[in-house]
Amino acid sequence: MAEATVETTNTTESGTLLEVNNLVKHFPIQKGFLKRTVGSVRAVDDVSFSVTQGKTLGLVGESGCGKTTTSRCILRAIDPTSGQILFRKEDGETVDVATMPYQPLRDLRRDMQMIFQDPYGSLNPRMSLFDIVGEPLLVHGMKSSSERADRVAELLRLVGLRPEYMRRFPHAFSGGERQRIGIARALALNPRLVVADEPVSALDVSVQAQVINLLQEIQESLNLTYLFVAHDLSVVRHIADEVAVMYVGKIVELGDTEKIFANPKHPYTSALLSSVPIPDPSVRQDRIILQGEVANPANPPSGCYFHPRCEYATDQCKTEEPQLELIDEGRWVSCHHAKDLDLTGLSAK
Amino acid sequence: MAEEAVIPSTASESLEQQDEEFSVASQWRLMWWRFRRHKLALIAGVILALFYATFPLSEFIGIGDPALNFTKLSFLRPQPIRFFDDSGFNPHVNAVESYRDKVTFKPGFRTVEDERVPVGFFVKTWEYSFLGFIKTDRHLIGISDPADLAKRPSLYILGSDSLGRDQFSRLMLSTRISLSIGLVGVAISLIIGIVLGGISGFYGELVDTIIQRIIEIIGGVPTLPLWMGLSAAVPQDWAVMQVYFAITVILSIFGWTGMARVVRGKFFQLREEDFVMSARIAGASEGRIMFIHMLPSFYSHIIASISLSIPGMIIGETALSFLGLGLRAPAVSFGIMLQEAQNPSTVALYPWLMFVAVPVIIIVLAFNFLGDGLRDAADPYG
């Protein structure tokens, strides 16, 4: 990918809001009384991608593949080990979030916000809606309580809740309503990038659709950019313009959503896609059942991390690590055989 | 969801009002709704409130001067107050006279049935300082005729000790001293515990390791010998108040470790909560995260664990004083009063001197029941 540096601003192509370059996050494994570091979990291992202003990038993968860690690094909720996270501010200046000191980072929080997976754990049960939704406003300098109340009312209306609920506490709401509260809180500061970490996976299917539609409506009206982390591919197909597929801390395939769903190039992507149920009894589905376990990120296999489970693996895959390569317009795949394999239609015959 | 369970079921309210009340109920309301279903804890709370309410009123309620020696009436058994006689309401006690048993030569008292000492309310007897600075001699109840006072300084409703001091008045003062030692001791251990536990849990890593090892070392030392050693080191010539504070500090040396562990564990748990990360992403400062988000999430637990550790302090003081290593006369506490009751002749001849054990047991049990109730109510969202 483009070798952008911080010093030279505006090297990112116009329209790109967020560009992640070679992001790495290792968690040290410590043992014994003196906490010696005996190894590390490579939760995010050299990940690069970019998100275009106003678009949605879906980040998909199995549990434990590093999607959540990636999203938290981008917001600096945890500090990345290395790599760049370039964010283009409203005035056009590009900043590196990964190495930003505390104070400017705090100001930048206005521009990037997060929607959490768990609508129960992410709202402080001891605060009323007014305090929950109004907190970002308060800590960013809106001291007047009546101003905050007006803004909170506006936000609650935006997410489809009645402003009269402002004095209520989260325990009075259902999961879907709580997620709307979480969205209202994320939108309080008028962010430009919203990182949604599996925002609907904790909800009932009927409520999922409502929340997804709400997110889409808000995106259109506020011109938001989403990084949408999910493991549910049908949700991602619905909302994302582009998809990045992660496996054991690495991106294995990146490209336009429809192209990836129609014609996966990486064997892992095609296996993932085959797991999506098709709501049509006349379609015969041949599921690709992967053998073996997900690779251990503390002790990954040699060569291509996916080779122990890949039916197309060759000797080259066992020794040589594939790089993310551009194989088609806007289509990046990390597989030695990406050009030779035809995986089209494997998922639905 | 467990929340539904705490919806109040007052039949008169319509369901809608009830829903709205539940919706806007804060943490403390929810806790109260849950706590009040715990009847035993509620009763225990009332009993303790009554005990603590006597704090400023100890001397006012006390009948005789607790420091006055009146050996003519030593080891007098408890004397009942009779509120009625043949002519109606006429509170009095019967006079007593001493005698010596002709066979065993044992001294004793017998009631003189027809000689009555009148009892009055809000009477003026011995002088004391109300709240420590208002000089007065009013008492709730006492002997109304000053002429009788010379013969008998108190009613002795709980009897008298070897020096003829009024046991009831001494018990009132003991309650104040012993219960406040529990409070002060817990307050000291709470402060140390929250600070060290908070540092341990908030920063983690090496600081945490060091503090935790210190706690383990302290926990490994047997309590009583160390208490005894430390209290033996308290100089003999210290004033009553100095000894009092020395004893509370000695008691809190062990008390803080449990508190520090609770606080540390809660910090560890809360650091990982989504709402804490959410606050961080919203741009909240570390101070705000700690005091607005984390502390309120566990001070209900702290209150519960306080109420469970106060009786330990009270028992600790009682044990030390009982062994003669805690407070010293002329101070009075449960332990000092029990110490005076610790011989076979008391058990055989003056059993009323052991009555002081009753409030100790009631207080300790009440604190345990209250603590149980508070612990159950502490997390209304769990």
Side-chain angles (χ1 to χ4, degrees), chain B residues 29-55:
Chain B
R29 294 288 298 279
L30 293 174
M31 277 174 66
W32 166 241
W33 286 339
R34 191 178 272 207
F35 176 75
R36 71 178 178 192
R37 290 185 308 166
H38 207 301
K39 291 286 180 268
L40 201 54
L42 212 54
I43 294 166
V46 172
I47 289 174
L48 287 174
L50 288 177
F51 268 106
Y52 279 98
T54 67
F55 263 36

Tab-separated table of all heavy atoms in Angstrom, chain B residues 29-55:
chain	number	residue	atom	x	y	z
B	29	ARG	N	-32.030	4.322	44.908
B	29	ARG	CA	-33.430	3.888	45.011
B	29	ARG	C	-33.533	2.393	44.801
B	29	ARG	O	-34.181	1.688	45.564
B	29	ARG	CB	-34.292	4.601	43.967
B	29	ARG	CG	-34.432	6.084	44.141
B	29	ARG	CD	-35.311	6.442	45.324
B	29	ARG	NE	-36.689	5.974	45.194
B	29	ARG	CZ	-37.629	6.602	44.496
B	29	ARG	NH1	-37.351	7.722	43.865
B	29	ARG	NH2	-38.862	6.126	44.456
B	30	LEU	N	-32.877	1.888	43.761
B	30	LEU	CA	-32.936	0.462	43.465
B	30	LEU	C	-32.377	-0.351	44.624
B	30	LEU	O	-32.922	-1.385	45.000
B	30	LEU	CB	-32.148	0.148	42.187
B	30	LEU	CG	-32.708	0.701	40.881
B	30	LEU	CD1	-31.748	0.437	39.740
B	30	LEU	CD2	-34.063	0.087	40.576
B	31	MET	N	-31.289	0.161	45.206
B	31	MET	CA	-30.689	-0.547	46.338
B	31	MET	C	-31.637	-0.574	47.519
B	31	MET	O	-31.770	-1.583	48.192
B	31	MET	CB	-29.373	0.128	46.753
B	31	MET	CG	-28.196	-0.297	45.928
B	31	MET	SD	-26.753	0.677	46.373
B	31	MET	CE	-26.477	0.125	48.048
B	32	TRP	N	-32.283	0.553	47.750
B	32	TRP	CA	-33.204	0.634	48.885
B	32	TRP	C	-34.361	-0.332	48.687
B	32	TRP	O	-34.754	-1.043	49.604
B	32	TRP	CB	-33.688	2.072	49.060
B	32	TRP	CG	-34.870	2.225	49.974
B	32	TRP	CD1	-36.089	2.723	49.656
B	32	TRP	CD2	-34.948	1.866	51.362
B	32	TRP	NE1	-36.922	2.700	50.740
B	32	TRP	CE2	-36.243	2.167	51.804
B	32	TRP	CE3	-34.046	1.298	52.259
B	32	TRP	CZ2	-36.670	1.929	53.108
B	32	TRP	CZ3	-34.472	1.061	53.566
B	32	TRP	CH2	-35.769	1.373	53.978
B	33	TRP	N	-34.906	-0.415	47.450
B	33	TRP	CA	-36.010	-1.333	47.191
B	33	TRP	C	-35.600	-2.774	47.450
B	33	TRP	O	-36.366	-3.583	47.936
B	33	TRP	CB	-36.489	-1.186	45.742
B	33	TRP	CG	-37.277	0.067	45.516
B	33	TRP	CD1	-37.910	0.810	46.474
B	33	TRP	CD2	-37.514	0.726	44.281
B	33	TRP	NE1	-38.514	1.891	45.904
B	33	TRP	CE2	-38.297	1.870	44.551
B	33	TRP	CE3	-37.142	0.464	42.961
B	33	TRP	CZ2	-38.718	2.743	43.566
B	33	TRP	CZ3	-37.562	1.328	41.981
B	33	TRP	CH2	-38.335	2.460	42.273
B	34	ARG	N	-34.357	-3.048	47.096
B	34	ARG	CA	-33.909	-4.419	47.291
B	34	ARG	C	-33.597	-4.684	48.763
B	34	ARG	O	-33.891	-5.740	49.293
B	34	ARG	CB	-32.672	-4.677	46.433
B	34	ARG	CG	-32.303	-6.128	46.383
B	34	ARG	CD	-31.117	-6.335	45.495
B	34	ARG	NE	-31.525	-6.529	44.116
B	34	ARG	CZ	-30.800	-7.231	43.253
B	34	ARG	NH1	-29.681	-7.789	43.640
B	34	ARG	NH2	-31.196	-7.379	42.015
B	35	PHE	N	-33.014	-3.652	49.419
B	35	PHE	CA	-32.611	-3.823	50.817
B	35	PHE	C	-33.834	-4.009	51.712
B	35	PHE	O	-33.824	-4.820	52.628
B	35	PHE	CB	-31.803	-2.605	51.271
B	35	PHE	CG	-31.405	-2.630	52.722
B	35	PHE	CD1	-30.378	-3.455	53.142
B	35	PHE	CD2	-32.061	-1.851	53.655
B	35	PHE	CE1	-30.010	-3.496	54.480
B	35	PHE	CE2	-31.697	-1.886	54.990
B	35	PHE	CZ	-30.671	-2.707	55.395
B	36	ARG	N	-34.911	-3.292	51.442
B	36	ARG	CA	-36.034	-3.318	52.375
B	36	ARG	C	-36.792	-4.637	52.323
B	36	ARG	O	-37.632	-4.905	53.166
B	36	ARG	CB	-36.976	-2.138	52.130
B	36	ARG	CG	-37.767	-2.245	50.854
B	36	ARG	CD	-38.706	-1.062	50.717
B	36	ARG	NE	-39.418	-1.153	49.456
B	36	ARG	CZ	-40.132	-0.174	48.936
B	36	ARG	NH1	-40.224	0.967	49.558
B	36	ARG	NH2	-40.742	-0.341	47.788
B	37	ARG	N	-36.502	-5.449	51.312
B	37	ARG	CA	-37.121	-6.781	51.309
B	37	ARG	C	-36.419	-7.713	52.277
B	37	ARG	O	-36.905	-8.786	52.581
B	37	ARG	CB	-37.063	-7.382	49.893
B	37	ARG	CG	-37.989	-6.669	48.921
B	37	ARG	CD	-37.977	-7.376	47.606
B	37	ARG	NE	-36.602	-7.549	47.142
B	37	ARG	CZ	-36.269	-8.360	46.153
B	37	ARG	NH1	-37.175	-9.077	45.552
B	37	ARG	NH2	-35.010	-8.449	45.772
B	38	HIS	N	-35.250	-7.308	52.729
B	38	HIS	CA	-34.448	-8.103	53.649
B	38	HIS	C	-34.837	-7.677	55.055
B	38	HIS	O	-34.210	-6.815	55.652
B	38	HIS	CB	-32.969	-7.790	53.371
B	38	HIS	CG	-32.038	-8.897	53.718
B	38	HIS	ND1	-31.955	-9.397	54.979
B	38	HIS	CD2	-31.150	-9.592	52.976
B	38	HIS	CE1	-31.042	-10.356	55.001
B	38	HIS	NE2	-30.543	-10.494	53.786
B	39	LYS	N	-35.899	-8.277	55.620
B	39	LYS	CA	-36.496	-7.776	56.863
B	39	LYS	C	-35.516	-7.795	58.030
B	39	LYS	O	-35.434	-6.854	58.801
B	39	LYS	CB	-37.730	-8.622	57.207
B	39	LYS	CG	-38.882	-8.412	56.247
B	39	LYS	CD	-39.569	-7.061	56.459
B	39	LYS	CE	-40.707	-6.858	55.491
B	39	LYS	NZ	-40.291	-6.174	54.260
B	40	LEU	N	-34.732	-8.880	58.118
B	40	LEU	CA	-33.815	-9.021	59.237
B	40	LEU	C	-32.786	-7.890	59.222
B	40	LEU	O	-32.475	-7.297	60.258
B	40	LEU	CB	-33.116	-10.382	59.135
B	40	LEU	CG	-32.509	-10.933	60.413
B	40	LEU	CD1	-33.539	-10.986	61.517
B	40	LEU	CD2	-31.927	-12.321	60.150
B	41	ALA	N	-32.297	-7.575	58.027
B	41	ALA	CA	-31.304	-6.507	57.898
B	41	ALA	C	-31.926	-5.171	58.278
B	41	ALA	O	-31.289	-4.315	58.899
B	41	ALA	CB	-30.762	-6.455	56.478
B	42	LEU	N	-33.182	-5.002	57.913
B	42	LEU	CA	-33.883	-3.758	58.223
B	42	LEU	C	-33.990	-3.578	59.737
B	42	LEU	O	-33.707	-2.508	60.284
B	42	LEU	CB	-35.274	-3.824	57.592
B	42	LEU	CG	-35.909	-2.543	57.112
B	42	LEU	CD1	-35.001	-1.809	56.159
B	42	LEU	CD2	-37.241	-2.855	56.442
B	43	ILE	N	-34.380	-4.678	60.423
B	43	ILE	CA	-34.501	-4.629	61.881
B	43	ILE	C	-33.132	-4.353	62.497
B	43	ILE	O	-32.981	-3.502	63.381
B	43	ILE	CB	-35.083	-5.958	62.413
B	43	ILE	CG1	-36.523	-6.105	61.918
B	43	ILE	CG2	-35.037	-6.003	63.934
B	43	ILE	CD1	-37.096	-7.486	62.089
B	44	ALA	N	-32.112	-5.050	61.996
B	44	ALA	CA	-30.748	-4.851	62.504
B	44	ALA	C	-30.330	-3.400	62.337
B	44	ALA	O	-29.717	-2.812	63.232
B	44	ALA	CB	-29.773	-5.774	61.788
B	45	GLY	N	-30.694	-2.816	61.198
B	45	GLY	CA	-30.352	-1.415	60.941
B	45	GLY	C	-30.998	-0.498	61.967
B	45	GLY	O	-30.356	0.421	62.491
B	46	VAL	N	-32.261	-0.751	62.288
B	46	VAL	CA	-32.962	0.084	63.271
B	46	VAL	C	-32.305	-0.050	64.639
B	46	VAL	O	-32.056	0.945	65.331
B	46	VAL	CB	-34.458	-0.313	63.330
B	46	VAL	CG1	-35.144	0.397	64.482
B	46	VAL	CG2	-35.138	0.016	62.014
B	47	ILE	N	-31.972	-1.295	65.009
B	47	ILE	CA	-31.340	-1.518	66.317
B	47	ILE	C	-30.019	-0.757	66.405
B	47	ILE	O	-29.744	-0.055	67.386
B	47	ILE	CB	-31.113	-3.027	66.544
B	47	ILE	CG1	-32.469	-3.710	66.768
B	47	ILE	CG2	-30.181	-3.269	67.732
B	47	ILE	CD1	-32.394	-5.208	66.852
B	48	LEU	N	-29.213	-0.851	65.348
B	48	LEU	CA	-27.920	-0.160	65.367
B	48	LEU	C	-28.115	1.346	65.399
B	48	LEU	O	-27.399	2.062	66.098
B	48	LEU	CB	-27.094	-0.559	64.147
B	48	LEU	CG	-26.539	-1.974	64.223
B	48	LEU	CD1	-25.861	-2.342	62.923
B	48	LEU	CD2	-25.555	-2.087	65.373
B	49	ALA	N	-29.121	1.823	64.660
B	49	ALA	CA	-29.393	3.265	64.670
B	49	ALA	C	-29.715	3.713	66.089
B	49	ALA	O	-29.262	4.769	66.541
B	49	ALA	CB	-30.540	3.586	63.727
B	50	LEU	N	-30.474	2.895	66.829
B	50	LEU	CA	-30.807	3.247	68.210
B	50	LEU	C	-29.553	3.280	69.079
B	50	LEU	O	-29.349	4.199	69.867
B	50	LEU	CB	-31.819	2.250	68.787
B	50	LEU	CG	-33.240	2.360	68.234
B	50	LEU	CD1	-34.135	1.277	68.807
B	50	LEU	CD2	-33.819	3.735	68.524
B	51	PHE	N	-28.695	2.268	68.896
B	51	PHE	CA	-27.453	2.248	69.674
B	51	PHE	C	-26.627	3.502	69.408
B	51	PHE	O	-26.141	4.153	70.325
B	51	PHE	CB	-26.623	1.006	69.335
B	51	PHE	CG	-26.902	-0.160	70.241
B	51	PHE	CD1	-27.632	-1.252	69.809
B	51	PHE	CD2	-26.424	-0.149	71.546
B	51	PHE	CE1	-27.891	-2.319	70.648
B	51	PHE	CE2	-26.671	-1.216	72.386
B	51	PHE	CZ	-27.410	-2.310	71.941
B	52	TYR	N	-26.489	3.831	68.115
B	52	TYR	CA	-25.662	4.990	67.794
B	52	TYR	C	-26.337	6.291	68.209
B	52	TYR	O	-25.673	7.285	68.479
B	52	TYR	CB	-25.288	5.005	66.311
B	52	TYR	CG	-24.122	4.085	66.011
B	52	TYR	CD1	-24.318	2.816	65.512
B	52	TYR	CD2	-22.819	4.491	66.290
B	52	TYR	CE1	-23.248	1.957	65.275
B	52	TYR	CE2	-21.750	3.658	66.065
B	52	TYR	CZ	-21.963	2.391	65.556
B	52	TYR	OH	-20.906	1.561	65.348
B	53	ALA	N	-27.680	6.278	68.272
B	53	ALA	CA	-28.387	7.484	68.683
B	53	ALA	C	-28.096	7.826	70.131
B	53	ALA	O	-28.241	8.974	70.546
B	53	ALA	CB	-29.891	7.313	68.468
B	54	THR	N	-27.664	6.847	70.939
B	54	THR	CA	-27.381	7.143	72.350
B	54	THR	C	-26.048	7.867	72.521
B	54	THR	O	-25.743	8.319	73.616
B	54	THR	CB	-27.319	5.862	73.197
B	54	THR	OG1	-26.189	5.084	72.795
B	54	THR	CG2	-28.575	5.027	73.061
B	55	PHE	N	-25.265	7.971	71.426
B	55	PHE	CA	-23.931	8.586	71.529
B	55	PHE	C	-23.921	9.912	72.278
B	55	PHE	O	-23.235	10.051	73.283
B	55	PHE	CB	-23.349	8.790	70.126
B	55	PHE	CG	-22.419	7.694	69.725
B	55	PHE	CD1	-22.671	6.387	70.107
B	55	PHE	CD2	-21.303	7.968	68.977
B	55	PHE	CE1	-21.813	5.372	69.743
B	55	PHE	CE2	-20.445	6.961	68.612
B	55	PHE	CZ	-20.696	5.665	68.991
